[in-house]
Amino acid sequence: MEGGNLINRIVIGKAGRDSGKYFLIIGVIDDEYVLICNGRNRSIDKPKKKKIKHLNFTNIYTKDIEPYTNAKIDAFIKSVDIDKEVWLPYVKARCYRNARCCCWSIT
């Protein structure tokens, strides 16, 4: 995968204590590692360095939440995780089928 395609993508951890948790990729280190955060345990001040092979990739991308804040990232990840519409000043996300599909949109 190219680095440009990874940033702002929602991923799910598949190894270690992060297994099953949602994260946002905020940086690419090289072909093997990315920086992830979720706005709660892993803040943007201390993102986690994670191997790409230890992540499951979704088709969910974020737009319009830059500059990143922990609150914006946390709100978006919660909206993906709980499969419901979220209305906030900076994020409106909705899936029209289910939480695992690729039709999430930001307006």
Side-chain angles (χ1 to χ4, degrees):
M1 275 187 196
E2 296 177 19
N5 292 338
L6 297 177
I7 295 180
N8 292 336
R9 192 170 192 170
I10 298 293
V11 294
I12 303 168
K14 67 177 180 181
R17 71 177 72 160
D18 299 329
S19 179
K21 295 180 183 173
Y22 289 83
F23 293 94
L24 176 68
I25 296 177
I26 61 167
V28 177
I29 297 174
D30 57 23
D31 291 342
E32 212 173 316
Y33 290 95
V34 293
L35 295 174
I36 60 173
C37 67
N38 65 3
R40 284 172 282 154
N41 331 23
R42 290 290 173 185
S43 67
I44 57 173
D45 300 329
K46 293 184 77 175
K48 180 169 180 110
K49 179 180 168 184
K50 191 88 167 169
K51 279 193 172 190
I52 291 174
K53 70 179 184 178
H54 293 155
L55 298 170
N56 285 324
F57 290 88
T58 66
N59 291 328
I60 304 169
Y61 288 87
T62 63
K63 299 184 244 175
D64 304 328
I65 67 166
E66 290 184 22
Y68 297 120
T69 65
N70 290 325
K72 289 180 184 179
I73 293 170
D74 187 36
F76 185 77
I77 289 175
K78 282 181 180 176
S79 71
V80 171
D81 194 20
I82 59 176
D83 188 25
K84 71 176 187 180
E85 190 170 358
V86 174
W87 290 86
L88 296 171
Y90 42 79
V91 174
K92 178 189 169 194
R94 182 177 187 154
C95 174
Y96 294 96
R97 287 181 263 164
N98 62 47
R100 303 295 185 267
C101 77
C102 60
C103 63
W104 285 86
S105 63
I106 303 290
T107 57

